Amino acid sequence: MNSFYKFLKCLLILVFISCTQLAIAQDKTVSGTVTDGADGTGLPGVNILEKGTTNGTVTDFDGNFRLTVSENATIVISFVGYEAQEIEVGNRSVIDVQLATDVKQLSEVVVVGYGVQEKRDVTGALSSIGEEDFNPGVINNPGDLIRGKLAGVQVTPSSGAPGAGLQFQVRGNSSLRSNNDPLIVVDGVPLDGRNIQAGGADAFGTGGGQANSPLNFLNPDDIEQIDVLKDASAAAIYGTRGSNGVVLITTKSGKAGAPKVTYSTFGSASFLRQEIDVLNAEQYTAALNSLQATGELSEELVNNSLRGGNTNWQDEIYETALSHNHALSYSGGDEDTRYSVSVSAFDQAGILRNTGQERYTARVKASQKALNDKLDINVNVTYSHLKDQGAFIGDRTGFEGDVIALALVTNPTTPVFNEDGSFFTLNNSIRNPREITDNFSDRTLTDRALGNISLEYEFIGGLKYKVNFGFDRSQSVRRTSFPTTLSFTPNGRADINSRENSNFLIEHLVNYSRDIGEGEFSALVGYTFQEFLNRGSRLASIGGFQNTSNTVLPTNAVLGPNPVEGGTVVEVGSDAEVNSLQSFLGRVNYVYRDKYIVTANVRVDGSTRFGENNRYAVFPSFALGWRLSDEAFISDLGIFDNLKLRYGWGQTGNQEFENGISQPVFRLNANTGALEVQRQPNPDIQWETTTQNNIGVDFGLFNGRLNGSIDAFRKVTTDLLLQIAQPAPSLVATGFENVDAELINRGIEVVLGGVVYDNENFSWNTDFNITFIDNEVENLTTGDIFTGDINGQGLSNVRSQIITNGESVGSFFLTPFVGFNEAGEPLYRTLEGGVTTSNDGSDRIIAGSAIPDFTWGITNSLSYKRWDFNFLISGVQGNEIYNNTANALFTRNALAQQRNTTVDNASEPEATNATLSASTRFLEDGSFVRLENVSLGYNFDVSNIEEISSLRLYVTGQNLVVLTNYTGYDPEVNTDKNVENVPSLGIDLTSYPRPSVVLVGLNISF
């Protein structure tokens, strides 16, 4: 004890001596003035900090400061919008500082079509985001990196399944028939927009499963930057493929300097955010007894329905899913040679039992200068191997073919297992959900290689020729098995589907740039040719499958079964198609006196997809920019750091339609053996054309503390391609034609970015974006078009959406539901204002739209010393969702059929024998506010560890909170319910729920 007191006494003496010395050392005061290096004006609010301490101050209104510092101190002067300085105090007591404007933001390079451009010279409407601003978390699609981040860009998942597809919209819908996804260009290689994964089995009600995203092959850790070309003046350089916008993805390149090794990893847990509130066993029993008391259900039916169990079927199919990711990269180089090599392994388990995705990638990107730096050689190759494990679900199934629907409707008094441990068998219609998740197998293997090699040679100063060879090849095999252990497949069945896609590209580009007088001139001319091949095969067989013990289908096929002699082939087929695109392009850029900017583009495209009479089309654009902040009458105001006015006009096209629609198609009549015309030729078919006007302004205020942009646009799509009725004497009922209708999108985009607070220890930055879009169809002369297929018992051929003049795409066309009468029959409003129990479709009205009034997102980034904290909140307002899940499953008739329903539906005055129909009863508000992600990280001090350059530990949460009135799993959903390839929007049918995720990760660099 005495030793402890001696130690404490010594410690206090040392602390006292240190404090005394510190007080003596800080007896030095420096003062001075901080001014703008350009005009000499004093800068208020500049941070003055003694380096390595928390001792600091800020300048006053005139830029003056006074600070007491220690001897041999270094002060750090920093201010938003200016380059920071470090100054050794030495013997000086007066220090005056001039700060130079930080032009890094204005000189930031963004990727445009077939090249790069300084951000300050951009005239088109584009958004750019780098890896430092990407969304964190479990990411299996590049679209997830920018969700909620960019104005005019809406990313909606088709479901929450690992690897699920995304609806990726840029400035609304631009077509009535094709998909509205933008063109994706990865490292200069335009991708084919079709799904590369083989289709699934359409058997036992499964409907073939839900499609995965074609972008899953990319490792998010490899992506350096994503640029989105939104208006036609920016996207017209891609001609026929630019009407839905263009997304340019750039992967990481090596940097000159010492070799750098980076390793990142995380482990995560995903879970169901909320269950749908169906009846539990006690509530179900009470509901049946209540119906028996009113005479609606017989005692016998009630007794047969109550099976003595107590099962939460959602708990039986959903589970907490553990995932992990590992990524390793090696990069470096010098002024002549640069390289970047990376590998990754990603294993994401789904919250639906026995679903998930594994992704393995390898990438090499290298560049080499040769011939006295006149020749640039660039090589880039990405390879991926995907293993997908799907579920017993589909986009167009009844409840018997969808395990999620089965979990919602299965009687909660039904046990999972029999006493002997076998699965409790229900019947062929109400199948045991747990039995399906444990025995059904849907496995897909997909290999994909994407790459390009380019050579660029500079002949004379400013004149360069570049040739680029690109390729994209994928092979996918999907094996679906229904083993004999499933009660509803006693003979077993296996489906094997394969899909092969290849994409070959060659480009010849000539660039020329030089200074002309007081201006900078650059020009680009080029030729491109791209060919796409898509082919597949399918085989389905019942029985006759070999395993180690017998000749039936194995119960746990790792990669699915292979057919052998003895099986019955029930389906076999194949398909193949090839199309090509030939293009000539040009661009001219001129910047006069660094403030007047003119850009003009033109592209001539020829495609084999269209008719011989309209094989080629021309797509021009131009844009003007005026950097007002460089004009004396603006700069003298002392308000704007940056002010630029932009205007752009241009035309883009859309060729994303079925191949060969201009050509005749024949089929063999199985009964007569004669050839019949299935599709008549139409040599006049051409591209849809989108014309867009955009006016925008970019601005910066308060010495860079507030930056932003405002854009207003109007885009009109004409020559819409539709399949319409053919008049006599046509040999077919319908055919493809370009019609005179117009699809119009008008919108306003606002982007704001601000520095709320900033000093050496603490900073707070906020970025906000909001987009308003109004969509409307005009001059449609072919008659109304119906889409939005609704599924469920008694709902065959029911359409929920209409495309008609004066309304938006995605408009719901439904009979108004007003309640129930005393007999429990649904009541509907007639067009005359009366009430009826009949819903034959004659009283339908425009009841809302799936397109929101506006979307928004706000990101906050805070840092304190070595801690960083970030969160993104996003929202959608003013859209409707058709809850097809509720329409198909949650009516009181379900109780009479020994099925479950929701708590709310069980208390409704609906009769158990009421007729099921589609109406506004199932149309719900889709607005929401979502905590998209939140992340907390700590950056360790590794200055004393020579081998390590950075080390960061972080924890991230995704999709933790959603504020919404929607009663389904998630309001951000879009089940594919197209009719004859006319897209639908905002329909939900037993979609795989989007999970909540918590992860812990580590990034380390050497």
Side-chain angles (χ1 to χ4, degrees):
M1 184 65 69
N2 290 334
S3 298
F4 171 75
Y5 282 120
K6 289 181 180 179
F7 169 76
L8 183 59
K9 182 179 178 180
C10 292
L11 180 62
L12 291 174
I13 291 173
L14 288 173
V15 170
F16 175 76
I17 293 174
S18 299
C19 291
T20 303
Q21 291 177 342
L22 181 62
I24 294 173
Q26 285 189 338
D27 193 22
K28 181 177 181 63
T29 301
V30 293
S31 62
T33 303
V34 181
T35 57
D36 187 311
D39 57 22
T41 58
L43 295 176
V46 176
N47 293 303
I48 313 294
L49 188 73
E50 182 180 356
K51 186 175 182 180
T53 74
T54 59
N55 177 40
T57 186
V58 294
T59 58
D60 62 18
F61 184 79
D62 297 317
N64 301 315
F65 73 93
R66 179 179 294 272
L67 181 65
T68 301
V69 298
S70 60
E71 192 175 1
N72 300 320
T74 297
I75 58 173
V76 179
I77 302 96
S78 61
F79 193 44
V80 175
Y82 292 84
E83 295 179 355
Q85 290 190 33
E86 293 188 8
I87 299 175
E88 294 183 0
V89 174
N91 296 324
R92 290 182 291 177
S93 59
V94 177
I95 299 177
D96 293 326
V97 182
Q98 290 184 335
L99 292 183
T101 302
D102 185 357
V103 297
K104 181 179 179 181
Q105 182 179 3
L106 290 178
S107 62
E108 176 186 349
V109 172
V110 295
V111 181
V112 295
Y114 302 97
V116 296
Q117 195 172 15
E118 286 192 2
K119 189 175 183 179
R120 63 186 280 111
D121 294 334
V122 170
T123 53
L126 64 83
S127 294
S128 180
I129 183 171
E131 61 173 323
E132 66 277 4
D133 295 317
F134 288 158
N135 287 326
V138 178
I139 303 294
N140 54 29
N141 189 300
D144 292 326
L145 294 171
I146 63 174
R147 190 202 313 271
K149 292 278 191 175
L150 304 180
V153 180
Q154 186 175 6
V155 180
T156 304
S158 61
S159 78
L166 293 175
Q167 182 189 47
F168 206 149
Q169 285 193 332
V170 178
R171 292 188 167 182
N173 288 63
S174 298
S175 177
L176 298 183
R177 181 171 179 83
S178 77
N179 74 63
N180 284 273
D181 291 337
L183 170 66
I184 307 295
V185 181
V186 179
D187 286 328
V189 179
L191 305 185
D192 191 350
R194 288 171 294 193
N195 184 20
I196 66 168
Q197 190 179 65
D202 188 357
F204 304 106
T206 58
Q210 297 177 334
N212 277 8
S213 169
L215 294 178
N216 290 334
F217 73 102
L218 289 171
N219 171 24
D221 287 299
D222 287 339
I223 298 175
E224 183 173 57
Q225 183 171 313
I226 297 178
D227 300 90
V228 182
L229 311 183
K230 296 187 290 189
D231 73 337
S233 66
I237 197 70
Y238 288 100
T240 57
R241 307 183 68 189
S243 65
N244 297 321
V246 182
V247 176
L248 307 172
I249 298 175
T250 304
T251 60
K252 295 177 181 177
S253 302
K255 305 291 191 296
K260 180 179 180 180
V261 177
T262 300
Y263 171 69
S264 63
T265 184
F266 68 73
S268 71
S270 305
F271 52 91
L272 183 66
R273 184 177 59 83
Q274 67 172 21
E275 293 184 347
I276 292 180
D277 193 16
V278 295
L279 300 173
N280 60 31
E282 181 180 353
Q283 294 167 327
Y284 182 79
T285 301
L288 292 190
N289 289 334
S290 176
L291 292 174
Q292 180 185 347
T294 60
E296 293 182 78
L297 296 183
S298 67
E299 181 180 359
E300 180 182 5
L301 188 147
V302 171
N303 291 336
N304 290 336
S305 299
L306 301 178
R307 302 187 175 107
N310 184 6
T311 305
N312 183 328
W313 286 104
Q314 292 181 83
D315 284 350
E316 292 299 323
I317 67 167
Y318 297 120
E319 62 183 1
T320 299
L322 302 180
S323 305
H324 57 89
N325 179 74
H326 305 273
L328 180 66
S329 66
Y330 177 71
S331 62
D334 52 33
E335 294 302 320
D336 293 329
T337 305
R338 300 187 184 188
Y339 55 87
S340 176
V341 180
S342 67
V343 293
S344 72
F346 174 55
D347 186 353
Q348 182 184 11
I351 59 171
L352 185 61
R353 290 173 59 88
N354 291 321
T355 61
Q357 181 183 76
E358 296 178 47
R359 179 185 64 223
Y360 303 92
T361 69
R363 185 181 65 93
V364 176
K365 192 172 187 179
S367 63
Q368 176 68 52
K369 291 182 179 294
L371 303 180
N372 296 320
D373 294 341
K374 288 183 173 293
L375 178 65
D376 280 340
I377 305 171
N378 291 272
V379 178
N380 180 30
V381 178
T382 297
Y383 170 77
S384 69
H385 177 68
L386 295 177
K387 296 181 179 181
D388 288 291
Q389 187 171 3
F392 190 80
I393 56 178
D395 292 333
R396 299 173 184 274
T397 63
F399 64 82
E400 72 279 357
D402 190 300
V403 71
I404 294 176
L406 285 169
L408 296 174
V409 302
T410 300
N411 181 338
T413 68
T414 304
V416 180
F417 301 101
N418 295 308
E419 292 183 359
D420 62 0
S422 61
F423 285 107
F424 187 94
T425 301
L426 303 173
N427 56 58
N428 194 43
S429 176
I430 305 294
R431 301 162 180 172
N432 188 319
R434 180 63 182 273
E435 177 190 12
I436 293 174
T437 60
D438 287 9
N439 289 277
F440 172 74
S441 177
D442 183 1
R443 308 292 182 100
T444 306
L445 299 180
T446 304
D447 291 278
R448 187 170 188 175
L450 169 78
N452 64 313
I453 178 171
S454 67
L455 296 90
E456 185 176 59
Y457 185 79
E458 185 174 10
F459 289 94
I460 58 175
L463 179 63
K464 298 180 179 180
Y465 164 71
K466 180 179 181 179
V467 60
N468 181 40
F469 302 93
F471 64 90
D472 179 14
R473 181 175 176 81
S474 63
Q475 289 184 310
S476 177
V477 178
R478 187 169 184 172
R479 291 178 168 90
T480 308
S481 62
F482 303 85
T484 56
T485 51
L486 285 171
S487 57
F488 56 91
T489 60
N491 296 319
R493 172 180 168 128
D495 289 65
I496 303 176
N497 294 309
S498 67
R499 176 66 48 189
E500 177 185 345
N501 291 269
S502 64
N503 168 4
F504 170 77
L505 169 73
I506 183 170
E507 296 174 336
H508 299 276
L509 304 171
V510 177
N511 281 278
Y512 179 68
S513 61
R514 64 168 295 179
D515 293 340
I516 301 178
E518 296 185 76
E520 300 172 8
F521 172 81
S522 63
L524 164 73
V525 294
Y527 168 81
T528 77
F529 178 83
Q530 196 165 14
E531 184 177 76
F532 306 92
L533 171 66
N534 181 288
R535 59 188 175 191
S537 61
R538 53 196 177 275
L539 169 68
S541 180
I542 295 177
F545 292 88
Q546 183 69 50
N547 64 8
T548 56
S549 58
N550 52 44
T551 57
V552 298
L553 196 65
T555 58
N556 293 302
V558 175
L559 297 178
N562 291 305
V564 296
E565 185 178 355
T568 301
V569 175
V570 294
E571 181 181 347
V572 63
S574 64
D575 61 89
E577 63 179 39
V578 61
N579 65 283
S580 56
L581 184 67
Q582 178 176 253
S583 309
F584 305 88
L585 57 96
R587 177 170 59 217
V588 173
N589 239 32
Y590 185 65
V591 181
Y592 178 64
R593 300 181 65 179
D594 204 33
K595 55 187 175 181
Y596 308 111
I597 310 165
V598 178
T599 302
N601 293 282
V602 65
R603 178 160 174 149
V604 180
D605 273 339
S607 173
T608 59
R609 284 189 171 180
F610 292 89
E612 294 182 1
N613 296 340
N614 289 296
R615 188 57 55 87
Y616 285 86
V618 180
F619 298 94
S621 75
F622 72 89
L624 306 173
W626 182 12
R627 194 170 298 116
L628 289 163
S629 53
D630 287 355
E631 300 286 2
F633 67 89
I634 295 295
S635 61
D636 290 347
L637 297 176
I639 299 174
F640 294 97
D641 309 311
N642 173 48
L643 183 64
K644 182 173 67 176
L645 186 65
R646 298 177 278 105
Y647 171 75
W649 173 92
Q651 292 184 324
T652 48
N654 184 8
Q655 67 144 16
E656 298 304 317
F657 299 94
E658 296 91 336
N659 202 39
I661 58 176
S662 66
Q663 301 170 342
V665 174
F666 301 91
R667 64 182 174 188
L668 186 67
N669 187 309
N671 296 321
T672 65
L675 282 178
E676 296 179 343
V677 177
Q678 185 175 358
R679 184 168 65 210
Q680 292 192 141
N682 184 350
D684 295 322
I685 285 177
Q686 64 181 23
W687 291 278
E688 295 181 341
T689 301
T690 297
T691 303
Q692 187 171 174
N693 287 271
N694 187 96
I695 185 168
V697 60
D698 303 324
F699 56 87
L701 303 167
F702 312 125
N703 296 314
R705 283 189 175 272
L706 177 63
N707 295 280
S709 65
I710 301 174
D711 283 85
F713 65 89
R714 183 179 188 269
K715 68 175 186 176
V716 182
T717 303
T718 56
D719 298 321
L720 294 167
L721 188 59
L722 296 172
Q723 191 171 8
I724 63 176
Q726 300 295 298
S730 174
L731 299 176
V732 294
T734 62
F736 288 96
E737 290 186 14
N738 292 98
V739 300
D740 293 329
E742 296 180 341
L743 178 57
I744 303 173
N745 287 276
R746 308 175 185 89
I748 295 176
E749 300 168 356
V750 179
V751 177
L752 296 173
V755 179
V756 181
Y757 189 82
D758 181 45
N759 65 22
E760 182 72 11
N761 290 317
F762 178 72
S763 66
W764 178 5
N765 298 297
T766 297
D767 294 290
F768 173 76
N769 70 84
I770 188 168
T771 304
F772 302 86
I773 292 183
D774 177 56
N775 177 276
E776 186 177 2
V777 177
E778 292 185 1
N779 303 319
L780 182 64
T781 59
T782 59
D784 296 335
I785 302 170
F786 297 91
T787 187
D789 198 21
I790 299 299
N791 288 96
Q793 188 175 4
L795 294 172
S796 299
N797 298 317
V798 173
R799 312 290 186 246
S800 63
Q801 293 182 338
I802 187 173
I803 297 174
T804 188
N805 285 318
E807 301 293 342
S808 69
V809 174
S811 292
F812 289 102
F813 192 54
L814 300 164
T815 306
F817 171 77
V818 296
F820 301 95
N821 61 17
E822 294 182 356
E825 299 173 298
L827 296 176
Y828 305 97
R829 182 75 63 190
T830 66
L831 294 178
E832 293 77 21
V835 175
T836 179
T837 58
S838 172
N839 184 9
D840 59 4
S842 61
D843 294 308
R844 289 184 290 176
I845 63 169
I846 302 295
S849 175
I851 297 178
D853 296 331
F854 61 89
T855 60
W856 58 275
I858 182 169
T859 302
N860 283 274
S861 302
L862 299 91
S863 65
Y864 176 70
K865 295 185 177 179
R866 297 190 177 279
W867 293 92
D868 59 75
F869 179 67
N870 303 276
F871 64 92
L872 166 64
I873 300 174
S874 64
V876 168
Q877 183 66 41
N879 64 307
E880 319 299 326
I881 298 176
Y882 193 84
N883 193 337
N884 193 177
T885 303
N887 195 171
L889 307 180
F890 302 144
T891 59
R892 295 187 84 213
N893 178 262
L895 297 172
Q897 301 295 323
Q898 300 179 311
R899 302 197 301 266
N900 204 0
T901 189
T902 61
V903 173
D904 289 341
N905 176 247
S907 62
E908 287 183 323
E910 180 184 19
T912 56
N913 61 352
T915 302
L916 185 67
S917 63
S919 70
T920 60
R921 174 185 177 185
F922 305 103
L923 190 65
E924 301 185 34
D925 181 10
S927 304
F928 68 85
V929 175
R930 185 191 305 275
L931 179 59
E932 191 74 45
N933 57 68
V934 58
S935 184
L936 175 65
Y938 183 78
N939 298 278
F940 290 89
D941 183 2
V942 294
S943 58
N944 295 324
I945 305 176
E946 184 177 352
E947 294 81 6
I948 300 177
S949 59
S950 66
L951 176 63
R952 180 174 182 265
L953 180 68
Y954 65 96
V955 59
T956 296
Q958 293 175 268
N959 189 38
L960 299 181
V961 179
V962 181
L963 304 179
T964 182
N965 292 323
Y966 182 59
T967 61
Y969 280 123
D970 197 291
E972 198 171 19
V973 66
N974 186 51
T975 306
D976 181 14
K977 308 295 291 180
N978 76 80
V979 175
E980 295 181 348
N981 291 325
V982 176
S984 65
L985 296 171
I987 299 177
D988 181 8
L989 177 62
T990 61
S991 295
Y992 192 123
R994 185 178 171 189
S996 295
V997 182
V998 176
L999 68 86
V1000 177
L1002 177 71
N1003 295 332
I1004 183 169
S1005 296
F1006 303 91

